[in-house]
Amino acid sequence: MRVVQKYGGSSLATPARILNVAERIARAYREHGPLVVVLSAMGDTTDELLALAREVSPRPHPDALDLLLSTGEVVSIALMEMALRDRGVPAVALMGWQAGIRTTPSFGRALIESVESARLERHLSGGKVVLVAGFQGVTAEEEITTLGRGGSDTTAVALAAALRAERCEIYTDVDGVYTSDPRVVPKARKLAHVTYDEMLELAHLGAVVLHPRAVELAKRYGVPLYVATSLDDREGTWIGGEAQDMEGGRVVTGVAVDESVARVTLRGVRPPEGALKRLFGLLAEAEINVDIIITSVAGPDGLDVAFSLEAGDLERAIELLAARRSSLAYDRLDAEGGLAKVSVVGAGMASRPGVAAGVFRTLADAGIDVKMVSTSEIKISVVVEREQACRAARLLHTAFGLDDEAAEAEGTPSPQGGRREA
Ligand code: ASP
Ligand code: MG
């Protein structure tokens, strides 16, 4: 039975936490034998290294920056090897290149192309705990790369896939996946199990626990993920793995809130033919991500198009569209910031009607105005005023039967703070 574990930066932030993780790894080793453990950099190390680079160079060269950032994870594996050996656990620490992690040469956001797992296999057969530096790899030209922020999750899943591990356990400072962000919805409860698709929707929608890229990879290779805290032994959340219906065929699994949404509306775009192609081609070139898109039926006054986007991109989008006003040919541009997206997610809704009706009824009864809507097989998202988003999330959470009735209605417990197990 093969297991890959991963510990995040907050679990390794201090020498005491490193020793805590060493104890956990030693215990796993005694219980299950050799395993692979991926480590992040200690605490805020990566941010500190980035800041350091900027003090030396206003625009650090990407190759050199990756080399610098990769050192954070190397510190973690070296310290962990010491701590494990002190505990009588045979351990070997490997940098990404030593672990056979080959990537594309896109520095700062490299993609894993392959994992040459012979060395890992050899150490595992030799009875060792193999510690691997997360977030890094090597190009065909033998240059060190990093995978983008939060990339250690991806390292762990890639190794689990390459080694055909039975599962990948991710230990972090939150104790699992909740039905909603407990800071927004105090009655949120921990989920025992979510599907890959639910997790992807929840992660993209703001309830981030895992790097979406890691979840996508796990889905592609069918690697079951387990997310839990490294601070104690509370049960975490399973993602993927065998389909479980132990939660009574629930329809809705979670409610996510994204509080930084803006909307742009272009009125009277002419000619309507090819208007969408021109508009969204322009935005794509400028690397502005759009989310929900709504168009009117084209009439004599041209086409009306509204789209939502990340609030941080609004200024740039307005400037771009204003500058291209002549080629895009529209009558008017309206922009609105201060919005939020509230999404109801659940694999069960694909087969059950009435979820959208329930969402609209709940919001209408509360006098919350819905500005945009989008749906997928497993999700209904609405854009509302940001001031109303938290209330909308709480109401929907209650309406779809997700509330943890034992939770305090008052107060805002932190995700790891002594919550009742679901
Ligand atoms: N240390 C890297 C970061 O902070 C990678 C990771 O922790 O996953 O982004
Ligand atoms: Mg992380």
Side-chain angles (χ1 to χ4, degrees):
M1 181 187 76
R2 287 218 168 130
V3 175
V4 174
Q5 293 190 336
K6 181 254 168 177
Y7 292 89
S10 55
S11 300
L12 303 164
T14 61
R17 289 215 176 162
I18 289 186
L19 293 174
N20 166 61
V21 169
E23 289 296 342
R24 297 181 67 100
I25 297 172
R27 199 173 71 197
Y29 175 73
R30 292 194 187 102
E31 282 169 14
H32 309 293
L35 72 154
V36 171
V37 181
V38 173
L39 300 181
S40 287
M42 294 174 68
D44 297 328
T45 301
T46 308
D47 290 321
E48 287 159 14
L49 290 170
L50 267 172
L52 184 61
R54 300 235 161 83
E55 279 184 55
V56 171
S57 163
R59 294 176 78 241
H61 194 278
D63 315 20
L65 184 61
D66 269 11
L67 185 59
L68 179 72
L69 295 186
S70 74
T71 63
E73 273 67 16
V74 178
V75 169
S76 297
I77 55 168
L79 292 172
M80 193 61 73
E81 179 178 333
M82 296 172 202
L84 286 171
R85 285 179 180 248
D86 286 349
R87 280 158 184 74
V89 177
V92 56
L94 303 180
M95 292 190 258
W97 68 269
Q98 294 173 301
I101 300 170
R102 306 247 163 226
T103 75
T104 59
S106 23
F107 296 96
R109 51 191 162 86
L111 300 174
I112 297 178
E113 283 184 324
S114 65
V115 177
E116 281 153 33
S117 56
R119 190 163 177 174
L120 293 169
E121 300 275 7
R122 200 166 66 240
H123 285 305
L124 287 171
S125 316
K128 293 207 168 135
V129 170
V130 191
L131 303 164
V132 179
F135 173 59
Q136 58 179 260
V138 67
T139 68
E141 305 292 316
E142 301 196 323
E143 288 186 283
I144 303 298
T145 49
T146 66
L147 309 180
R149 299 308 304 270
S152 295
D153 290 347
T154 305
T155 303
V157 175
L159 293 183
L163 295 166
R164 299 199 164 68
E166 157 183 310
R167 63 179 184 271
C168 181
E169 303 173 354
I170 307 226
Y171 293 100
T172 119
D173 56 348
V174 296
D175 62 356
V177 180
Y178 278 72
T179 50
S180 195
D181 182 340
R183 285 165 304 188
V184 174
V185 181
K187 290 185 176 182
R189 66 192 159 78
K190 200 195 303 175
L191 291 157
H193 178 262
V194 294
T195 69
Y196 293 118
D197 290 327
E198 286 171 337
M199 188 64 218
L200 282 168
E201 292 288 11
L202 292 168
H204 286 300
L205 297 169
V208 191
V209 182
L210 285 182
H211 202 288
R213 214 171 120 189
V215 181
E216 266 152 29
L217 199 60
K219 180 184 170 187
R220 185 154 359 121
Y221 288 93
V223 178
L225 298 177
Y226 177 70
V227 185
T229 172
S230 63
L231 300 176
D232 55 48
D233 291 325
R234 271 172 299 164
E235 281 291 311
T237 301
W238 282 96
I239 300 155
E242 275 160 44
Q244 297 176 31
D245 215 81
M246 54 199 201
E247 298 189 296
R250 66 185 177 209
V251 179
V252 170
T253 301
V255 179
V257 181
D258 172 356
E259 289 186 282
S260 56
V261 176
R263 174 169 73 170
V264 171
T265 309
L266 290 181
R267 299 195 192 276
V269 187
R270 258 170 291 225
E273 295 77 35
L276 297 176
K277 175 175 125 188
R278 290 191 308 269
L279 170 60
F280 293 106
L282 201 60
L283 292 164
E285 256 171 54
E287 301 206 354
I288 294 174
N289 255 327
V290 303
D291 182 22
I292 303 175
I293 299 171
I294 294 175
T295 68
S296 68
V297 178
D301 298 329
L303 188 71
D304 294 345
V305 185
F307 59 90
S308 69
L309 71 170
E310 178 65 35
D313 285 337
L314 181 60
E315 285 309 315
R316 226 153 48 84
I318 295 172
E319 275 167 32
L320 179 73
L321 297 176
R324 300 298 186 89
R325 175 144 192 188
S326 54
S327 62
L328 277 173
Y330 55 85
D331 291 339
R332 211 172 85 210
L333 183 155
D334 296 324
E336 200 177 357
L339 304 177
K341 185 167 76 167
V342 180
S343 304
V344 166
V345 176
M349 73 174 68
S351 55
R352 245 149 311 179
V355 180
V359 169
F360 299 138
R361 189 186 330 113
T362 303
L363 298 178
D365 289 353
I368 297 173
D369 186 29
V370 174
K371 292 172 172 287
M372 295 179 104
V373 181
S374 89
T375 66
S376 78
E377 280 261 280
I378 68 162
K379 173 190 75 174
I380 294 167
S381 299
V382 294
V383 173
V384 299
E385 291 286 349
R386 189 181 298 153
E387 284 85 72
Q388 297 187 312
C390 291
R391 190 161 69 95
R394 284 195 286 269
L395 289 167
L396 293 168
H397 198 270
T398 304
F400 286 101
L402 297 177
D403 285 357
D404 179 353
E405 291 308 339
E408 295 273 322
E410 299 297 317
T412 53
S414 67
Q416 74 265 39
R419 298 197 45 84
R420 199 187 67 111
E421 300 293 306

